[in-house]
Amino acid sequence: MNNLRLVILDYPKLNLGLSEVRKTFGDILATKQVNFDRASNRYISMGPLDMISTHFLIYDQSNIYMPKIVAGIRLCYSDRAKHHNVPLPIEEYISYAPVEYQKKFDKFRKGKSVIVDNNALFVDPHYTYSQTGLKLSEILYFALVQFIVRKGHGHWVGATNERFKASRWGLPTGFAEKNLVFTHPKVPDPHMLLLVEPLNYQWLNECTELYRGVIDNRVEIVPKPYPINETLMSVEEVTEFIKQNDVDESKMAA
């Protein structure tokens, strides 16, 4: 792990004046496309959501002159999507799922002012858990869920590619009904619809201890200030909050 570094890039549209944002954003677009070609060479990964989302990236810095992204995942938010007049990923694929699943999503979203959509997980095939023993996907999910809490939310929605058994990384993060499987319209593999709420604070606390060094050494590029309707809790604040709520609420919900 010594050569790996977590980078969090939030809402790049608001920071395009920074050279490090432009460099990181370019890295994201190229690396995502190469990795998503593994799932479907017809899929174009770049889209307007990339400009307004939160990107969680793991860089391999072994070559200090050419660090490269080896894993990543993305968070999108319905309030930002609405503001910029673009749909969330789930709003584009949910109509291809069985009607029963669509009803579950409609019920899930009721009463929520913001829907948090988790998507676009990728891991370089040379850095997968089976190849390295490193749980890069778990690190990404931890950073992502911690960030969800920092933003004041308590849920996420998404669809995990089951060709790569991706639900094994998403399910520990909170309570979700299992086996809601359908064929994704853009990446035609079996995907599991996950509507996750509540979050698993016990898992979060365990990951906080396990990956404390990863979080402490992260590079984080976020808007300063945030748009007036958004806030972001500090890592110190969220760590204390997670400790105070250290109970596996997903088992309670079950």
Side-chain angles (χ1 to χ4, degrees):
M1 291 293 292
N2 289 340
N3 294 321
L4 300 178
R5 173 163 286 189
L6 174 69
V7 174
I8 300 174
L9 174 62
D10 190 25
Y11 220 149
K13 182 180 185 298
L14 301 185
N15 271 330
L16 288 176
L18 300 177
S19 59
E20 59 266 36
V21 170
R22 297 194 299 272
K23 171 64 168 63
T24 304
F25 192 70
D27 290 347
I28 293 168
L29 299 185
T31 307
K32 277 177 61 178
Q33 189 60 60
V34 169
N35 281 277
F36 271 87
D37 278 350
R38 295 169 56 210
S40 172
N41 59 14
R42 297 174 59 187
Y43 182 66
I44 303 298
S45 66
M46 182 179 70
L49 281 169
D50 285 311
M51 276 285 184
I52 62 173
S53 299
T54 311
H55 302 271
F56 303 84
L57 313 162
I58 295 177
Y59 273 82
D60 183 346
Q61 298 180 313
S62 298
N63 184 337
I64 61 173
Y65 300 106
M66 294 185 64
K68 64 176 183 177
I69 298 174
V70 297
I73 199 168
R74 183 178 72 173
L75 275 183
C76 307
Y77 313 88
S78 61
D79 53 348
R80 293 184 189 177
K82 183 178 180 180
H83 178 71
H84 294 285
N85 197 29
V86 292
L88 285 177
I90 195 171
E91 293 172 335
E92 294 194 302
Y93 63 69
I94 192 65
S95 63
Y96 292 86
V99 173
E100 175 191 357
Y101 299 1
Q102 297 178 43
K103 291 180 178 178
K104 289 178 184 293
F105 174 59
D106 288 340
K107 182 179 179 181
F108 184 89
R109 74 190 306 180
K110 281 184 178 178
K112 293 181 172 63
S113 59
V114 177
I115 296 296
V116 182
D117 189 317
N118 159 26
N119 53 81
L121 172 68
F122 67 88
V123 178
D124 183 298
H126 298 293
Y127 291 80
T128 60
Y129 179 59
S130 62
Q131 291 290 321
T132 65
L134 297 173
K135 297 181 178 181
L136 299 188
S137 294
E138 181 174 78
I139 293 171
L140 288 172
Y141 265 101
F142 163 57
L144 175 145
V145 175
Q146 186 191 67
F147 201 86
I148 290 173
V149 179
R150 291 175 67 190
K151 293 293 293 176
H153 305 301
H155 73 276
W156 63 266
V157 302
T160 54
N161 191 328
E162 293 311 288
R163 174 147 69 103
F164 303 105
K165 301 178 182 178
S167 61
R168 62 184 156 154
W169 307 113
L171 285 169
T173 69
F175 172 74
E177 184 176 351
K178 301 177 183 179
N179 301 319
L180 301 181
V181 178
F182 69 103
T183 300
H184 197 287
K186 291 187 177 180
V187 181
D189 292 326
H191 280 63
M192 187 183 297
L193 178 67
L194 293 179
L195 308 173
V196 180
E197 186 181 42
L199 301 176
N200 184 349
Y201 286 100
Q202 184 179 74
W203 174 85
L204 264 175
N205 198 36
E206 291 170 357
C207 287
T208 298
E209 296 303 318
L210 188 59
Y211 300 121
R212 184 177 298 277
V214 175
I215 293 296
D216 288 346
N217 292 309
R218 77 195 183 283
V219 174
E220 184 169 286
I221 311 171
V222 301
K224 293 179 180 179
Y226 266 99
I228 195 167
N229 62 323
E230 293 193 32
T231 59
L232 181 66
M233 196 184 302
S234 71
V235 167
E236 292 73 23
E237 289 172 322
V238 80
T239 299
E240 185 59 32
F241 180 83
I242 289 168
K243 284 182 180 178
Q244 293 174 1
N245 291 273
D246 183 1
V247 57
D248 186 350
E249 293 183 0
S250 65
K251 292 181 179 177
M252 294 169 58

